[in-house]
Amino acid sequence: MQVHRLSLLLLLAFATPLAAQQDTTRIPTGVRLGMIYQTLKRPSLAVRAFTAADGVSAAELVGDIVRRDLDYSDRFEMFEVPPQLADGPVDYATWNGLNVVYVLDGALEPLGEGDGYLLRLVLHDVVYGQVKESQAFRIPPPTAPDHRMAVHAAADEVVRWVTGQPGMAASRIVFVSQAADGARDLMVVDSDGENLRRIARVEGPLMSPAWSPDGRRVVYAVGRDDGSWDVIERDLETGAETRVATRRGLNTTPVYSPDGTRIMLAAENGRDLDIFEIDLATGRSRIVRGGPGADMSPTYSPDGRRIAFNSDRIGQPHIYVMSVEGGEAVLLSPYTYGEPGHYAAPDWSPETSFVAFHGRSRGQHQIMVADAARPGSTVQQITQEGLNEDPSWAPDGRHIVFVSVRPSGTGLYVIDAVSGRTRPLVLGGRLRTPDWSPTLERASALTVRGE
Amino acid sequence: MQKRIILPALVGALLVGACGGKQPPQQAGPTPEELAAQARADSIEAARRAEEERRRLEEERRRAEEEARRRAEEEARRAREIFAERVHFDFDKFDIRMSDQETLRRKAAVLRANPNVRVRIVGHADERGSDEYNLALGLRRANAVRDFLVSLGIDPSRFETASMGEEQPLVRASNEEAWAQNRRAEFQLVSGELTRAGM
């Protein structure tokens, strides 16, 4: 409590100077505090201890990964398994009496030497008193680098069984970490905060990494000594780097198109930044958005036909939506004449019409979500604690990773835009511009349905 | 026998007397040897004086040169100083402050006096706000500075602009003073030499 209060004081001290320059009491007109509204109640789920034919300890570890993934999916109320129901056949009546809707069992069968396991997951529907889904997944041995990802993919299938929608456990987040000596590390971490590792170290500025749709490459901007910025594509397997943008000067905020054939970015064009799209096969580039003002940070809609982007052409940075073919840009962030406004870093959900960005509210940056299908409608401010920036959607279109400075620690956090539940992903130092990957692994289809 | 002894003595005395009479010490002019010695001494002295004079003149010339070089260096130093003077910006803004306009006028004078110099103006932002948008803000700041210098008559083709966003803070701290220092435009010499302060 003491520590908490102290850090809160520090935060207030940090925040105070801003008060002199802006109206720190108001939430901007057109912004409402709260989460994305969904009527669905979260069903209660119990995950029983996983078993293994040969009693290997891998069962417990695999069970822990699956249980945590399902918890982090925020689709379920996780129910603590009572000791008397820990094993044996599922007693539907008793579970039903506890208001538990689903019970998940898992069993590991060792395959051949070094081949890992077969993980059989059985999801019981307590309400209907029957097995809802059952499937066997191949899991490489724990020593294999893709072991955890295979377990995450199995957990994502459980989410799909229940909700019909994809999970996000089998994914990673790429981000930039700034060392004390000014060097930058390109880092990657699994969606559950495990497997944190460095991909590359750069001596100078490094910004805005973004995943290719197949998860095999990342593209990012690198600052040079002469003040120019290059956009570099990196093959994660080989480490080979390719310079993408060829314009002189400032090239930044690259993203891949959903089909992976193009990269859109902001580049210096005359007096300011405009948005260009580069065809990776031909290397040809075309201008998507020109004219006065700095246009940057483009992000594709899931079908690749529209973009959201950041522009300060009206004198303050705002979020707009337009067709990739050009034409009129529609304002998405709230604008009120005479009121200060500052919105930046848009990211379009890979699953919905929601665009996340950060905006200044009560003098602090907060994560906000707007519906690109209904420009002009109210924007939801989904964070309130601390300073929050640079959101990126998970492949489930529901979770958002962002940079936060808050009393519980500075670093990357994950928020569920529906429930508001927030967890730290990686804490420490200066961690910046995270990008959440697409789903990196789909569970292999060794299906045995309806047991 | 006695005569034989006296004669040589007489001759000897006469000889002695004759010699003494012809050469009275001090009164007479210098001997050629003395004159030669004198001349030698005089010419040594003259050479010494000439050398001294030469050295004096040389020293004077050297001093004058040194002074000129010092002045030139001082002027070049002053020119570099004016050239390197940063300008600062208000939070989230890119307009040139009143207090920085004098700085930029001095800078314009330096640029006019050194027509071969080409400049890179690099805009920077403080750590607050979007990492990405801060790149745009830095570029806007660099452009605002260039526009002001162009309005003072400097050829636009002599400028390059760049932005480092919030990537290279001058002061690594998170307080108002550090932020104020970090919101800046810096000036880099692309080509040419700064020799004249243009005052």
Side-chain angles (χ1 to χ4, degrees):
Chain A
M1 198 60 212
Q2 199 112 36
V3 176
H4 182 78
R5 206 172 285 163
L6 178 67
S7 36
L8 193 67
L9 277 173
L10 281 172
L11 184 79
L12 287 172
F14 178 64
T16 304
L18 280 169
Q21 295 174 11
Q22 329 164 6
D23 187 349
T24 57
T25 57
R26 296 196 63 245
I27 296 168
T29 309
V31 174
R32 186 173 59 201
L33 298 178
M35 296 297 129
I36 297 170
Y37 181 69
Q38 282 199 357
T39 49
L40 279 176
K41 187 181 173 294
R42 295 195 298 173
S44 181
L45 166 74
V47 179
R48 303 207 294 178
F50 284 20
T51 60
D54 61 354
V56 285
S57 61
E60 197 183 330
L61 297 175
V62 168
D64 285 347
I65 295 173
V66 170
R67 187 179 295 106
R68 191 163 66 172
D69 284 349
L70 294 173
D71 181 19
Y72 284 175
S73 79
D74 291 308
R75 308 279 188 167
F76 308 100
E77 289 294 340
M78 299 302 285
F79 190 88
E80 192 76 30
V81 178
Q84 68 274 19
L85 297 174
D87 41 32
V90 175
D91 176 354
Y92 291 123
T94 308
W95 282 109
N96 201 18
L98 294 167
N99 284 323
V100 170
V101 180
Y102 297 108
V103 174
L104 182 71
D105 280 342
L108 276 185
E109 297 162 25
L111 295 170
E113 186 77 21
D115 284 345
Y117 307 92
L118 212 56
L119 168 62
R120 180 178 300 281
L121 292 181
V122 180
L123 183 70
H124 300 270
D125 186 323
V126 172
V127 177
Y128 288 95
Q130 63 185 36
V131 169
K132 185 177 170 66
E133 293 280 353
S134 172
Q135 191 171 324
F137 304 91
R138 252 200 79 183
I139 307 293
T143 48
D146 48 352
H147 169 75
R148 291 186 69 94
M149 236 354 114
V151 178
H152 290 321
D156 282 345
E157 276 306 294
V158 176
V159 172
R160 191 188 293 276
W161 291 342
V162 172
T163 67
Q165 289 165 337
M168 54 73 186
S171 62
R172 296 193 168 106
I173 290 100
V174 64
F175 59 97
V176 174
S177 170
Q178 191 173 338
D181 64 3
R184 270 74 162 182
D185 292 326
L186 190 61
M187 306 289 292
V188 159
V189 68
D190 288 0
S191 69
D192 59 353
E194 300 285 337
N195 252 337
L196 176 66
R197 64 207 177 281
R198 182 166 83 190
I199 299 175
R201 163 160 283 206
V202 177
E203 288 315 313
L206 171 64
M207 202 186 277
S208 308
W211 291 94
S212 68
D214 63 7
R216 292 193 182 138
R217 291 162 293 159
V218 287
V219 64
Y220 46 84
V222 176
R224 306 293 189 198
D225 285 342
D226 67 355
S228 66
W229 287 76
D230 283 338
V231 166
I232 306 289
E233 190 182 29
R234 185 185 177 92
D235 186 306
L236 291 177
E237 212 165 291
T238 65
E241 292 187 337
T242 317
R243 191 160 164 256
V244 176
T246 49
R247 292 185 74 85
R248 267 174 56 86
L250 182 49
N251 298 277
T252 191
T253 62
V255 281
Y256 286 91
S257 60
D259 64 5
T261 62
R262 289 154 290 147
I263 284 176
M264 202 180 278
L265 50 78
E268 203 171 340
N269 186 28
R271 290 183 50 82
D272 46 47
L273 298 172
D274 289 331
I275 294 172
F276 293 84
E277 188 177 56
I278 297 170
D279 186 303
L280 288 174
T282 64
R284 234 175 278 146
S285 85
R286 67 177 185 96
I287 189 160
V288 175
R289 168 75 174 180
D295 303 314
M296 66 190 312
S297 309
T299 170
Y300 286 92
S301 63
D303 64 7
R305 291 163 66 180
R306 288 196 292 166
I307 55 164
F309 64 99
N310 199 199
S311 175
D312 66 356
R313 70 160 53 193
I314 61 169
Q316 30 181 258
H318 274 274
I319 312 299
Y320 297 81
V321 178
M322 67 180 277
S323 161
V324 291
E325 306 301 336
E328 206 193 334
V330 178
L331 187 65
L332 190 60
S333 48
Y335 173 70
T336 307
Y337 181 78
E339 226 181 72
H342 188 112
Y343 302 88
D347 187 55
W348 199 313
S349 160
E351 285 290 313
T352 68
S353 56
F354 291 135
V355 176
F357 48 86
H358 69 239
R360 207 170 287 149
S361 173
R362 289 173 168 157
Q364 306 280 35
H365 283 173
Q366 299 296 352
I367 307 301
M368 301 182 180
V369 174
D371 189 352
R374 298 185 304 139
S377 62
T378 304
V379 168
Q380 298 286 355
Q381 177 186 324
I382 63 170
T383 58
Q384 289 191 59
E385 188 185 356
L387 294 115
N388 304 291
E389 290 182 6
D390 284 324
S392 175
W393 289 97
D396 64 357
R398 170 167 175 149
H399 291 87
I400 294 172
V401 63
F402 59 98
V403 178
S404 184
V405 177
R406 56 178 66 200
S408 53
T410 294
L412 302 183
Y413 283 76
V414 171
I415 187 169
D416 172 20
V418 174
S419 68
R421 186 177 169 215
T422 305
R423 63 180 164 96
L425 180 70
V426 185
L427 292 184
R430 283 179 62 70
L431 311 182
R432 308 165 65 184
T433 56
D435 186 55
W436 206 317
S437 78
T439 301
L440 293 176
E441 188 166 333
R442 284 275 150 77
S444 45
L446 292 163
T447 312
V448 188
R449 285 181 72 102
E451 282 200 351
Chain B
M1 236 12 232
Q2 199 168 3
K3 227 177 154 179
R4 282 176 77 166
I5 295 166
I6 288 166
L7 192 67
L10 243 171
V11 170
L14 267 175
L15 269 172
V16 170
C19 282
K22 268 186 185 167
Q23 216 176 23
Q26 268 75 32
Q27 276 107 319
T31 65
E33 290 84 355
E34 278 176 327
L35 281 172
Q38 185 60 49
R40 218 170 22 249
D42 285 352
S43 77
I44 285 172
E45 173 63 15
R48 198 185 56 75
R49 288 228 183 89
E51 174 62 14
E52 220 165 58
E53 178 64 7
R54 198 188 59 74
R55 280 201 191 149
R56 197 183 58 78
L57 287 172
E58 172 71 9
E59 175 71 7
E60 223 162 61
R61 196 184 55 76
R62 205 186 55 74
R63 262 200 214 132
E65 259 176 22
E66 173 74 10
E67 175 64 16
R69 213 186 63 221
R70 203 189 54 73
R71 278 211 194 121
E73 246 170 38
E74 172 64 23
E75 184 168 2
R77 194 189 57 75
R78 179 89 189 110
R80 286 195 298 271
E81 211 173 76
I82 294 168
F83 180 86
E85 271 179 313
R86 304 183 183 96
V87 294
H88 293 89
F89 298 86
D90 290 336
F91 177 63
D92 234 5
K93 295 276 193 325
F94 48 86
D95 8 16
I96 307 292
R97 293 173 177 171
M98 287 294 273
S99 54
D100 278 331
Q101 295 184 6
E102 196 45 48
T103 308
L104 290 175
R105 278 178 216 287
R106 279 201 300 275
K107 224 180 270 283
V110 167
L111 292 176
R112 264 193 297 272
N114 301 274
N116 293 326
V117 160
R118 284 179 49 80
V119 193
R120 182 181 303 122
I121 307 169
V122 186
H124 297 265
D126 69 29
E127 65 181 2
R128 293 171 298 168
S130 158
D131 292 14
E132 293 179 351
Y133 182 69
N134 276 340
L135 274 181
L137 188 58
L139 196 60
R140 283 201 172 286
R141 285 173 176 163
N143 279 329
V145 170
R146 179 188 51 191
D147 290 351
F148 191 84
L149 290 169
V150 167
S151 79
L152 295 177
I154 311 298
D155 181 353
S157 70
R158 295 176 64 191
F159 297 106
E160 287 177 18
T161 51
S163 171
M164 277 293 136
E166 60 176 271
E167 298 300 308
Q168 293 175 340
L170 208 56
V171 184
R172 280 189 194 280
S174 296
N175 55 59
E176 190 54 50
E177 203 178 307
W179 292 329
Q181 291 273 317
N182 292 338
R183 294 189 299 266
R184 69 200 193 276
E186 291 192 347
F187 301 82
Q188 297 173 356
L189 194 63
V190 175
S191 62
E193 206 185 341
L194 287 161
T195 53
R196 312 275 314 279
M199 287 291 139

